């Protein structure tokens, strides 16, 4: 079929085909849609009487649609099973599951739904969206970095929330000199390509 084509034209066609394949591979490598929960983590840091207290949630699920070529079109949701909290021990866990804190019987899940993604340069981005906890919804902004990792990537970031805006830690626990209002949420999401 290529017999009537000059050697130069053949090289140009081969180069074009190679570039098209390379472009397709690069695009596919920069598109992420699956979150790998077993390689991901969701943690928080609060201050209790001036001392940092670390905790985490062990069960959560996320959906993601993120393309490095079109980051502004990205979207994400995160659902957190509040009863999966690990606040450092059985007594603390039981306390924070109760009505004064998360009230997991009435509000078993916290949810984040993105509304926009903005590139900040150098593999850094900011996702904005609505965070819902205990029936209250507030807008949050979460800066994150994206680090390619084999065929996937690691999204890592943190953002603060004000717990009292969500009704978390009421009654005696509403005293911010005992437990600070601001809580830092930290996430590491391992993601795989489409």
């Amino acid at each position: 079929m290529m017999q009537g084509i000059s050697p130069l034209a053949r090289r140009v066609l081969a180069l074009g085909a190679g570039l098209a394949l390379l472009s397709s591979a690069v695009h596919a490598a920069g598109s992420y849609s699956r979150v790998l929960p077993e390689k991901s983590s969701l943690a928080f840091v609060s201050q209790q009487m001036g001392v940092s207290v670390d905790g985490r949630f062990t069960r959560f699920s996320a959906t993601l649609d993120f393309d490095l070529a079109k980051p502004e079109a990205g979207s994400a949701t995160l659902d957190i099973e509040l009863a999966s909290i690990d606040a450092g021990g059985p007594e603390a866990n039981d306390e924070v599951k109760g009505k004064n804190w998360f009230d997991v019987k009435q509000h078993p899940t916290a949810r984040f739904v993105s509304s926009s993604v903005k590139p900040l340069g150098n593999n850094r981005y900011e996702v904005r969206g609505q965070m819902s906890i205990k029936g209250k919804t507030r807008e949050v902004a979460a800066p994150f970095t994206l680090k390619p990792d084999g065929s996937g990537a690691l999204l890592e970031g943190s953002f603060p929330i004000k717990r009292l805006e969500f009704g978390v830690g009421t009654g005696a626990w509403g005293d911010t000199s005992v437990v600070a209002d601001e809580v830092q949420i930290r996430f590491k999401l391992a993601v795989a390509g489409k």
Side-chain angles (χ1 to χ4, degrees):
M1 174 143 184
M2 295 183 89
Q3 289 174 347
I5 299 176
S6 73
L8 177 60
R10 282 187 202 148
R11 283 196 294 269
V12 169
L13 285 172
L15 178 62
L19 287 173
L21 283 172
L22 179 61
S23 171
S24 172
V26 167
H27 179 74
S31 298
Y32 306 103
S33 63
R34 291 184 299 125
V35 176
L36 309 173
E38 68 279 4
K39 295 181 179 180
S40 302
S41 65
L42 182 61
F44 60 88
V45 180
S46 61
Q47 295 282 323
Q48 189 166 347
M49 292 195 232
V51 177
S52 288
V53 177
D54 294 335
R56 66 190 180 112
F57 293 95
T58 59
R59 291 190 305 274
F60 55 90
S61 61
T63 62
L64 179 73
D65 185 5
F66 188 79
D67 188 335
L68 289 174
K70 304 177 286 193
E72 298 89 347
S75 64
T77 62
L78 175 66
D79 290 299
I80 306 161
E81 289 184 43
L82 296 175
S84 76
I85 191 169
D86 179 357
E91 284 184 32
N93 293 347
D94 288 344
E95 177 68 36
V96 296
K97 290 175 190 176
K99 284 189 177 185
N100 285 332
W101 289 91
F102 287 117
D103 193 8
V104 298
K105 287 183 181 175
Q106 296 297 316
H107 306 282
T109 307
R111 175 167 244 230
F112 172 79
V113 179
S114 70
S115 56
S116 67
V117 179
K118 178 171 72 172
L120 303 175
N122 297 323
N123 293 329
R124 294 179 308 116
Y125 302 85
E126 180 187 77
V127 60
R128 285 186 171 270
Q130 301 294 311
M131 184 72 155
S132 299
I133 305 172
K134 285 184 79 173
K136 296 176 173 57
T137 301
R138 301 286 183 269
E139 181 171 310
V140 298
F144 68 92
T145 58
L146 186 144
K147 300 174 188 170
D149 181 20
S151 62
L154 184 66
L155 279 72
E156 189 170 357
S158 65
F159 61 95
I161 63 168
K162 302 283 190 181
R163 65 180 179 87
L164 294 177
E165 290 184 353
F166 295 96
V168 175
T170 59
W173 297 110
D175 183 349
T176 57
S177 68
V178 177
V179 179
D181 191 17
E182 185 170 292
V183 178
Q184 198 72 21
I185 309 297
R186 296 180 178 169
F187 59 92
K188 290 182 184 177
L189 298 178
V191 297
K194 294 185 176 182

